[in-house]
Amino acid sequence: MTRSTPEWTRPQQTGAEQTMLRAAGVTMQFGGLRALNDVSFGLAEGEIIGLIGPNGAGKTTLFNCLTGLYAPTSGAVSLRGKALPQDPARVTEHGVARTFQNIRLFPSMTAQENVLVGRHVRMRQSPLSSLLHGPGFRRSEAEAAERTEALLSFVGLTRFADELARNLPYGDQRRLEIARALATDPSVLLLDEPTAGMNAQETEATRQLIFAIRQLGISVVVIEHDTKFIFTLCDRVLVLVQGEVLVEGSPDEVRGDPRVVEAYLGAPPEEVEAQLHRGEHQ
Ligand SMILES: Nc1ncnc2c1ncn2[C@@H]1O[C@H](COP(=O)(O)OP(=O)(O)OP(=O)(O)O)[C@@H](O)[C@H]1O
Ligand SMILES: [Mg+2]
């Protein structure tokens, strides 16, 4: 199988397709502002969902509710049918990892160390073994170092392993955040604007990287303003407007939906159409 082609098909499943992550009627109220209103969706196993919508639509707030950073005013979030705790560290342990719209790396640590931090979520050592640097501890440290090296290679950052995160080019910092998220062994990965600030080449590399992540069996939700990127990456697209899911469907359905054309950007139809097809003929 060739690596990371859009034609990649999901492995045959025996029963009904399993829902990994589910939001049911999620509402988030900040004082007088309702940032999310009754948002529901399910992320199937092996699926890539795109989340688009104007600035302030509630996209990041939805990620914050899905990862336990915010406790929704009402509604529920579950993984494989089990309610997720409202505690980001424990949500990560359950297998939901994320990256942030504003990169949150440890700037004075190396790329390798940043990934190791993610890995520590999965390292289970008794305090005594850690203290004594016993065989279990050494084995676990060796395993973490190996995984870190493999992950840096997977995202194409081997050459920056010993470089401080703050010295990495912007696009590579975004990739490093993805590597750190992957180090937690997620079954679901949430990416908040992974191509912001990237040039066309870096954006394409990120698209291919996300396909490769899906091939690892990880389901993905991606927030992006770049609609060409979303429409050529995702199986399904959700359009969030003023905290509500306005339209949901395949990229073709969403692109052709008059409600999206009318309401999504609030711009004249020709302009919206141009934006939705932006760059397609490059
Ligand atoms: N902690 C908070 N307290 C108060 N208001 C908030 C908080 N977080 C988000 N909001 C508000 O909720 C709304 C949705 O914001 P959010 O960041 O989720 O939008 P977004 O769709 O991610 O936008 P963008 O595309 O600009 O990143 C905005 O009006 C924002 O000001
Ligand atoms: Mg946002």
Side-chain angles (χ1 to χ4, degrees), residues 45-61:
E45 192 165 8
E47 190 176 31
I48 303 177
I49 288 185
L51 188 57
I52 61 174
N55 294 117
K59 304 180 296 296
T60 298
T61 301

Side-chain angles (χ1 to χ4, degrees), residues 51-127:
L51 188 57
I52 61 174
N55 294 117
K59 304 180 296 296
T60 298
T61 301
L62 181 58
F63 272 16
N64 290 342
C65 289
L66 294 172
T67 53
L69 205 59
Y70 293 165
T73 311
S74 60
V77 177
S78 58
L79 183 74
R80 290 195 184 92
K82 279 196 184 156
L84 277 172
Q86 280 163 7
D87 170 347
R90 289 186 51 219
V91 168
T92 310
E93 281 175 19
H94 278 71
V96 180
R98 75 175 293 182
T99 62
F100 291 88
Q101 186 169 347
N102 306 310
I103 298 172
R104 291 196 192 176
L105 291 166
F106 297 103
S108 302
M109 287 166 68
T110 66
Q112 196 173 36
E113 287 163 347
N114 269 279
V115 179
L116 269 171
V117 169
R119 194 63 210 148
H120 274 86
V121 171
R122 293 290 166 211
M123 290 168 70
R124 296 243 173 272
Q125 282 300 310
S126 71

Side-chain angles (χ1 to χ4, degrees), residues 1-2 5-12 45-46 214-215 235:
M1 189 186 287
T2 53
T5 59
E7 292 76 25
W8 182 78
T9 49
R10 296 198 279 281
Q12 290 295 312
E45 192 165 8
R214 186 243 295 268
Q215 282 190 281
D235 303 308

Side-chain angles (χ1 to χ4, degrees), residues 23-26 35-42 49-54 57-59 62 236-249 254 257 259-260 263:
V26 170
L36 293 174
N37 188 25
D38 196 19
V39 172
S40 298
F41 79 96
I49 288 185
L51 188 57
I52 61 174
K59 304 180 296 296
L62 181 58
R236 206 146 51 94
V237 179
L238 265 60
V239 184
L240 204 62
V241 175
Q242 293 181 357
E244 299 190 6
V245 179
L246 179 76
V247 177
E248 175 186 348
V254 168
D257 192 303
R259 286 171 299 173
V260 177

Side-chain angles (χ1 to χ4, degrees), residues 105 111 115 152 157 168 172-180:
L105 291 166
V115 179
L152 285 173
L157 291 180
L168 263 59
D172 289 323
Q173 291 192 22
R174 289 213 174 270
R175 254 191 288 275
L176 180 56
E177 254 210 340
I178 293 177
R180 186 178 60 180

